Structures are given as C-alpha cells and as structure tokens.
Amino acid sequence: AQSVAQPEDQVNVAEGNPLTVKCTYSVSGNPYLFWYVQYPNRGLQFLLKYITGDNLVKGSYGFEAEFNKSQTSFHLKKPSALVSDSALYFCAARMNTGFQKLVFGTGTRLLVSP
Amino acid sequence: NAGVTQTPKFQVLKTGQSMTLQCAQDMNHNSMYWYRQDPGMGLRLIYYSASEGTTDKGEVPNGYNVSRLNKREFSLRLESAAPSQTSVYFCASSESRVGPNQPQHFGDGTRLSIL
C-alpha cells in the first residue's frame, strides 16, 4: 500500500536560517510527489511537484524540494526562512500510472521565529 | 477566479441529523474529491469522482454519500450524522485528463461539529 511519512510534527527555525521539512514515501513504481501548504482556516495550496528529471525541483515562494530515489525521500527546503512561511506543510504521493489517488502525510507545522 | 467554492463554511449538527455539503469549481476540471482533515491524521479521502458521471469510494467512505451533479458540482451527504464525523471537510478538483501529475486545487473547507 502507498504511504507517506512526515516524521516531524513540528519544525522550529529562526527567520533567515535555512529550513528543511522531511518527507519519505512508499509507493510502487515511479511516484509523482507533491508539497502543499495550508494557512490557518484555508485550504491546501500547491507548492511544487516532482514528476521526472532533475532531482531538485523549484516551486512557489522560494521553496524547493530534493527527490532522492535511493532514500525514497522528498524533503522540502528553503535557503532563508521568513516568518510568513509559518504554516502547515503536507507531502503527498501518487503513482504515475492510471487514475491513482493522492496519499497525504500527516503534516508538519513550521514555526519561523523573528 | 473563485476556484473551488465550498458551502457552508461552518455548521453545527445534532447527532442523527442529515446534511449536504456543497462544492463547485469553475476551472473546468474533470475530477473532484472530498477529504476530511483531522488532527494528526492528515487528509483522508472520502469519495472521489474521476469524471462526470462516476463516483468511487476512497479511504473512509462509511457514513457518507456523494453526488456528482454535473461537471462543476460535487456534493457530500451525511445521512445520519455521528460525533465521529466532526471534522474539517475539503473539496478539491484536478484536471486528470492530461495525466496524474496535475495538482489538486482545494476549497477553504467546511468546519462541521456534531454534538
């Protein structure tokens, strides 16, 4: 069965420092991987996706993610965190054949302190 | 662009009452989804509609029914609400005809409390 794990419930980082939010996946075959962000009382917003090709994917708001097939990981990164990046982040995976549903991780809350 | 619109935004029900959550999208997407979000559990798929005229069960369909009314609208019905259905419900849509790599677009949710 497909699964996505986000091992950290919360990540704390100071403004200006680099941030990493971790994600590992278990999906048969080659996966499509996504990161979404959720602000309070809002729906999820798409940040970036990995389909194929370059292992470093760039997305919205200066975020990027690194795909590592051998470690089955897709960690979200940003070189310099902003207080406004504080939100709930979800990793999701989908198989790349047929109509497959998204499987979400449990989410990681990012708190960026001034 | 409105994107995905969900109504109502908040609702309180008593156990045993019924209710329909409405969802509409204006992006001409062919696939639509209903999720519930509970603390520590991420998003879990209740039902989805791959295309107009089809619906399928997701991970947690018990206690729910859905209707894909037309291409734009996908409703979720609770026939006899139970406290375990207290949650935040999200509707989403995606354009899956071009492949499974298209992101889903989410509404802002319906916060449902069942007493």
Side-chain angles (χ1 to χ4, degrees), chain A residues 85-103:
Chain A
D85 292 330
S86 298
L88 189 57
Y89 290 81
F90 288 97
C91 181
R94 169 188 277 165
M95 290 174 61
N96 66 358
T97 57
F99 187 92
Q100 296 292 337
K101 304 171 286 292
L102 270 181
V103 175

Side-chain angles (χ1 to χ4, degrees), chain B:
Chain B
N1 284 338
V4 178
T5 302
Q6 292 183 237
T7 56
K9 294 187 184 304
F10 304 92
Q11 186 70 47
V12 179
L13 295 178
K14 294 181 179 179
T15 297
Q17 287 185 316
S18 62
M19 172 172 190
T20 299
L21 280 60
Q22 306 288 352
C23 174
Q25 53 93 8
D26 63 1
M27 295 171 283
N28 201 36
H29 288 166
N30 66 316
S31 299
M32 298 185 73
Y33 315 81
W34 275 106
Y35 294 91
R36 59 179 289 173
Q37 182 179 21
D38 301 291
M41 302 190 75
L43 272 75
R44 293 181 292 169
L45 184 64
I46 305 171
Y47 271 93
Y48 67 99
S49 172
S51 60
E52 187 178 358
T54 69
T55 61
D56 286 285
K57 294 179 180 179
E59 182 183 356
V60 288
N62 291 344
Y64 305 96
N65 285 300
V66 291
S67 295
R68 183 74 182 266
L69 304 171
N70 48 55
K71 190 172 185 179
R72 292 185 62 249
E73 299 172 287
F74 188 39
S75 63
L76 178 72
R77 184 163 178 82
L78 286 69
E79 291 291 352
S80 179
S84 61
Q85 295 177 305
T86 293
S87 188
V88 183
Y89 291 86
F90 287 99
C91 177
S93 69
S94 69
E95 182 47 67
S96 59
R97 286 172 294 183
V98 296
N101 61 342
Q102 299 306 306
Q104 294 182 11
H105 298 257
F106 287 79
D108 284 338
T110 294
R111 285 147 186 83
L112 183 61
S113 293
I114 299 164
L115 306 177

